[in-house]
Amino acid sequence: MEKNIDVLQHWLTEEAIDACLITNPENVAYFSGYVSEPHERVLALAVFQEAEPFLFVPGLEIEDVKGGDWSHPVYGYSDIENPWEIITSQLKNRASLSNLAVEKGHMTVERYEILQSLLPDSAFANAEEKIQMIRLIKTPEELQILKEAALLADYAVEVGVSEIAEGKTEAEIVAKIEFEMKKKGVTAMSFDTMVLTGKNGALPHGTPGDTKIQKGDLVLFDLGVVHKGYCSDITRTVAFGDISAEQEKIYQTVLEAQEAAVAAVQSGKTAKDIDLTARNIIAEAGYGDYFPHRLGHGLGASVHEFPSITETNEMPLQTNMVFTIEPGIYVPEVAGVRIEDDIVVTENGCTVLTEYPKGLQVIR
């Protein structure tokens, strides 16, 4: 499915930019419908003001593209050819290239310098802000896919919680979750699945390993799936047996902050408003220094995309934006708790896509 190429073409015309060369695989997939992980090889989508767009892929992927939905030209190259010479030749065939837009945040310095050497008379504009804004507002079709992805993430948490048992390791539970998701037809997780127990839960981006679950532990699950090219992202924290009064206080504080932030979402409010709603509750409870990250991030074809929901972001929320709300408190040697939902902004509030229960769950 080609998506919003016409919007990008209109922007090129408005800005007097001859062409846009997209090289981020996620953005290539978003606009063209063709999903690829080229590794060290070159993958690109070229879009022009009026000329027909083209895909450029490693030669071994040509037949994959032809068997898909892409209806425009596709070019490839062998491992002994210079891909940039082929790309620039095709670009020059379609446009004057006095001004070329690229994704400056994605393109490496080496590739940028190669393009400059091959196009010495061209100026280079940055396409990333425009691409971010195109991807920001989700269509009804995208929202449906994101809902399906969220429900799969709910199921993954359910699998993980059902596996909790004394002596079982974090890595064992991760393996079970991902095995069950494969059986559901999920080909990829949004990111490395996290199951963290005990003191490891106080590491916001800890790595699951051979730590065994014990009674009195909090167990944190942070995971998501890729479904039809779109991502989900959920975090839940549950108790294994009785926990301490301070652990419970931390949990209830995070829950209060998370639910208050969700309730505060509304078209026209700012990202800052939502972040501070949660952050102030955590600070007032005495844990402000233990909430070290942003409240959330955009979600869609990428698991972390524009915008960041931070206390300094004055960006107004718009209907059909999708992002996460995930406050956390991480006190070393005591507890780590994070609760995260995927939400869609509506005119008068929001719709929560993830549905797994958030109240404190004690596994006996």
Side-chain angles (χ1 to χ4, degrees):
M1 178 188 66
E2 298 165 30
K3 178 174 172 51
N4 287 331
I5 285 180
D6 58 335
V7 178
L8 197 56
Q9 289 175 319
H10 182 69
W11 174 72
L12 292 174
T13 302
E14 282 187 331
E15 299 295 322
I17 298 171
D18 299 299
C20 179
L21 187 66
I22 299 170
T23 53
N24 183 329
E26 291 177 345
N27 287 331
V28 171
Y30 178 82
F31 285 101
S32 72
Y34 179 64
V35 178
S36 171
E37 175 43 70
H39 303 291
E40 76 282 1
R41 295 182 173 94
V42 178
L43 174 76
L45 169 66
V47 178
F48 306 88
Q49 290 185 22
E50 295 181 358
E52 192 173 19
F54 70 80
L55 267 174
F56 185 81
V57 302
L60 50 84
E61 298 183 19
I62 287 282
E63 293 306 313
D64 290 338
V65 179
K66 291 180 178 178
D69 296 329
W70 180 251
S71 58
H72 304 290
V74 55
Y75 304 101
Y77 71 101
S78 73
D79 288 344
I80 59 173
E81 293 179 299
N82 184 328
W84 298 105
E85 289 180 352
I86 299 172
I87 288 176
T88 53
S89 174
Q90 293 298 338
L91 288 170
K92 289 176 180 178
N93 286 342
R94 291 167 169 79
S96 65
L97 295 186
S98 60
N99 199 342
L100 176 67
V102 298
E103 299 156 290
K104 291 186 177 181
H106 175 263
M107 184 168 283
T108 65
V109 173
E110 179 183 41
R111 291 182 171 188
Y112 189 65
E113 289 178 345
I114 291 171
L115 270 180
Q116 285 182 313
S117 69
L118 292 169
L119 300 169
D121 299 323
S122 297
F124 291 85
N126 193 358
E128 288 195 302
E129 182 177 349
K130 182 59 181 179
I131 290 173
Q132 287 175 342
M133 294 308 294
I134 291 173
R135 289 178 55 170
L136 180 66
I137 307 303
K138 272 53 179 182
T139 65
E141 181 182 15
E142 288 178 296
L143 293 176
Q144 177 59 39
I145 295 171
L146 284 164
K147 177 61 180 178
E148 293 168 4
L151 293 177
L152 285 166
D154 288 336
Y155 177 71
V157 174
E158 182 181 334
V159 170
V161 171
S162 71
E163 287 295 305
I164 291 175
E166 191 157 19
K168 191 167 287 189
T169 68
E170 298 163 331
E172 287 175 323
I173 295 178
V174 168
K176 179 64 175 179
I177 290 170
E178 296 191 350
F179 174 67
E180 292 299 325
M181 298 317 293
K182 292 286 187 186
K183 288 166 63 177
K184 281 278 190 181
V186 172
T187 58
M189 305 301 285
S190 300
F191 52 92
D192 290 343
T193 300
M194 282 197 285
V195 177
L196 302 171
T197 187
K199 64 181 181 181
N200 293 343
L203 304 172
H205 277 178
T207 301
D210 59 4
T211 301
K212 295 180 178 180
I213 296 173
Q214 300 177 4
K215 288 287 187 179
D217 280 349
L218 287 167
V219 185
L220 185 150
F221 298 87
D222 189 354
L223 55 85
V225 308
V226 181
H227 173 66
K228 298 179 182 177
Y230 287 79
C231 300
S232 54
D233 189 359
I234 187 174
T235 307
R236 292 292 187 266
T237 308
V238 302
F240 182 49
D242 295 327
I243 57 175
S244 70
E246 184 173 7
Q247 287 173 318
E248 183 163 357
K249 179 187 175 185
I250 289 170
Y251 188 95
Q252 297 300 343
T253 300
V254 173
L255 179 61
E256 180 186 356
Q258 204 270 349
E259 291 183 331
V262 170
V265 173
Q266 184 175 329
S267 181
K269 286 195 174 182
T270 66
K272 175 180 178 177
D273 293 334
I274 309 308
D275 182 286
L276 286 176
T277 296
R279 196 168 301 278
N280 289 341
I281 289 171
I282 290 173
E284 288 166 9
Y287 294 106
D289 292 340
Y290 299 102
F291 179 17
H293 55 75
R294 61 190 175 183
L295 180 68
H297 54 81
L299 186 71
S302 305
V303 70
H304 288 169
E305 62 181 43
F306 179 79
S308 283
I309 309 302
T310 69
E311 61 186 305
T312 58
N313 187 353
E314 301 276 3
M315 179 182 181
L317 304 182
Q318 300 177 56
T319 300
N320 291 345
M321 284 175 56
V322 178
F323 56 85
T324 67
I325 292 181
E326 49 180 303
I329 296 173
Y330 315 92
V331 182
E333 305 299 327
V334 178
V337 175
R338 183 165 63 252
I339 301 172
E340 174 185 23
D341 281 316
D342 305 341
I343 67 99
V344 183
V345 180
T346 62
E347 283 294 336
N348 299 310
C350 71
T351 299
V352 181
L353 299 177
T354 36
E355 297 181 0
Y356 192 87
K358 291 184 283 190
L360 178 59
Q361 187 176 167
V362 180
I363 309 301
R364 301 292 183 184

